[in-house]
Amino acid sequence: MNLDFDPDWLRLREPLDDAARAVGLAWAFGRILPTHPMIIDLGAGTGSNVRQLAMKLGRGEQDWTLIEKDRKLLAKAPGEIGRWADRNGWEHKEQRRAYMITCDDMAVRVEMRSFDLSQDPAELGLNQYDGVTAKALFDLVSAAWLDRFVKELAGCGFPPLLATLIVDGRVEFSIADEDDAFVLERFHAHMGRAKGLGGPALGPAAPKALVASLTAAGYRVETAQADWKIGPKQIAAHLAMLEGYARAAAEQEPAASPRIQAWAARRRDLASEQGARLMVGHLDLLARR
Ligand SMILES: C[S@@+](CC[C@H](N)C(=O)[O-])C[C@H]1O[C@@H](n2cnc3c(N)ncnc32)[C@H](O)[C@@H]1O
């Protein structure tokens, strides 16, 4: 399973993302927004951020634009959003290239836009939006991309930015293995490979880089930890993480593959031991003028 963009993986992690979210920052973001806000979500995948944020932003009318370069993921968004509406007993329908969800006190319009964020950020038209969101995106971007993007935000009047679930490099297994550090070091180095967004990806350096860049531009930045707490009930996610760690680490250092596979086999056994837990550190961030 590709830990970045596989739709099954995105679905598996969605409840972990939701539980990890620093809700106070989401509420604060909602309080800054005007009535009937226009929100743009970057690297939207199948629209998970809409599903997790809509009810935390004061409900009412909301207009979302989902920005995603992977058309296959974007094509899955209406289905995922429809199932979310069904689970909540809300009405939903497609209307003029957008998706509408309505219930007594909320009307959410979601438009999907296929767009590659490696393009000029001016093409996003950020000045049309009241708020910008992105979940699990900023560890993929390069320092140069971040610099350009933050300049664009400033040039568009400093819209509030809610950037969540940014990997910060902390990983803790409740039961230690002697090769944890060996594998994770290679995994985190692999995270730094370029992801098509302007050069080497920031990976676990993203939280610090984002805070520094936004603060220097004139934003006031608040952060909170938003860690995945993977327990015995999330064994599928635990195993997927192990597979992702092992695959990336072996790609990073092919000669160490046997050692890494041996680690993965031991870790799979440990994962099914009673009470086994895995914590993956993330940061949520709210930036406002
Ligand atoms: C880790 S996933 C997170 C998806 C979604 N935000 C979520 O939380 O479920 C990162 C997303 O960024 C998208 N992405 C990566 N590079 C991109 C680019 N250059 N332009 C637009 N989207 C991109 C990927 O396709 C993927 O959907």
Side-chain angles (χ1 to χ4, degrees):
M1 197 179 273
N2 176 341
L3 284 193
D4 285 336
F5 313 138
D6 183 293
D8 293 335
W9 168 239
L10 293 183
R11 190 176 300 125
L12 189 60
R13 56 179 274 179
E14 197 163 325
L16 293 172
D17 294 3
D18 205 19
R21 187 179 285 279
V23 181
L25 294 185
W27 289 334
F29 178 69
R31 285 194 295 271
I32 304 168
L33 297 175
T35 315
H36 196 160
M38 305 267 291
I39 303 162
I40 185 167
D41 186 53
L42 308 178
T46 67
S48 169
N49 232 358
V50 179
R51 295 189 286 280
Q52 294 186 357
L53 283 172
M55 287 196 286
K56 298 183 180 79
L57 302 185
R59 304 178 78 112
E61 287 182 273
Q62 300 171 19
D63 259 54
W64 286 80
T65 301
L66 307 188
I67 296 293
E68 173 58 57
K69 80 164 178 189
D70 183 335
R71 286 169 189 269
K72 284 191 195 138
L73 286 180
L74 214 49
K76 286 182 187 290
E80 294 287 345
I81 292 170
R83 278 186 283 283
W84 166 65
D86 284 339
R87 281 197 296 278
N88 287 289
W90 301 333
E91 286 178 32
H92 57 95
K93 61 179 176 195
E94 257 186 280
Q95 197 177 57
R96 275 180 267 137
R97 296 180 60 238
Y99 213 73
M100 303 287 304
I101 299 103
T102 43
C103 60
D104 288 349
D105 61 351
M106 196 167 71
V108 180
R109 182 178 178 279
V110 186
E111 196 174 317
M112 289 96 191
R113 183 173 164 202
S114 168
F115 182 91
D116 189 335
L117 288 166
S118 64
Q119 288 171 239
D120 183 350
E123 301 284 320
L124 286 168
L126 290 176
N127 49 6
Q128 300 163 49
Y129 295 95
D130 303 301
V132 181
T133 60
K135 175 157 75 74
L137 175 76
F138 278 96
D139 35 73
L140 306 176
V141 312
S142 68
W145 186 93
L146 180 63
D147 187 46
R148 200 168 166 212
F149 175 69
V150 171
K151 280 198 180 103
E152 185 62 23
L153 286 173
C156 289
F158 295 89
L161 168 71
L162 183 66
T164 51
L165 218 76
I166 311 164
V167 165
D168 66 8
R170 289 173 300 122
V171 176
E172 282 169 27
F173 291 100
S174 59
I175 310 168
D177 180 277
E178 60 188 8
D179 269 343
D180 288 343
F182 179 82
V183 174
L184 291 172
E185 207 175 291
R186 280 143 190 86
F187 169 77
H188 286 127
H190 189 276
M191 275 191 92
R193 291 186 177 193
K195 306 287 190 306
L197 288 164
L202 286 165
K208 270 192 188 157
L210 196 54
V211 172
S213 178
L214 291 164
T215 307
Y219 271 103
R220 182 155 63 87
V221 179
E222 286 167 75
T223 61
Q225 284 186 2
D227 302 340
W228 279 346
K229 296 195 174 105
I230 303 175
K233 288 189 184 151
Q234 293 91 20
I235 186 77
H238 193 146
L239 295 176
M241 289 303 294
L242 297 180
E243 188 188 331
Y245 287 148
R247 179 181 301 169
E251 264 176 38
Q252 190 64 20
E253 192 177 327
S257 196
R259 181 172 172 185
I260 292 163
Q261 295 316 326
W263 169 86
R266 289 196 303 278
R267 271 261 151 253
R268 281 194 292 275
D269 288 344
L270 290 173
S272 49
E273 280 199 12
Q274 208 183 356
R277 294 183 175 278
L278 165 61
M279 185 285 293
V280 184
H282 298 97
L283 202 85
D284 279 6
L285 173 156
L286 172 63
R288 60 181 112 180
R289 189 161 199 178

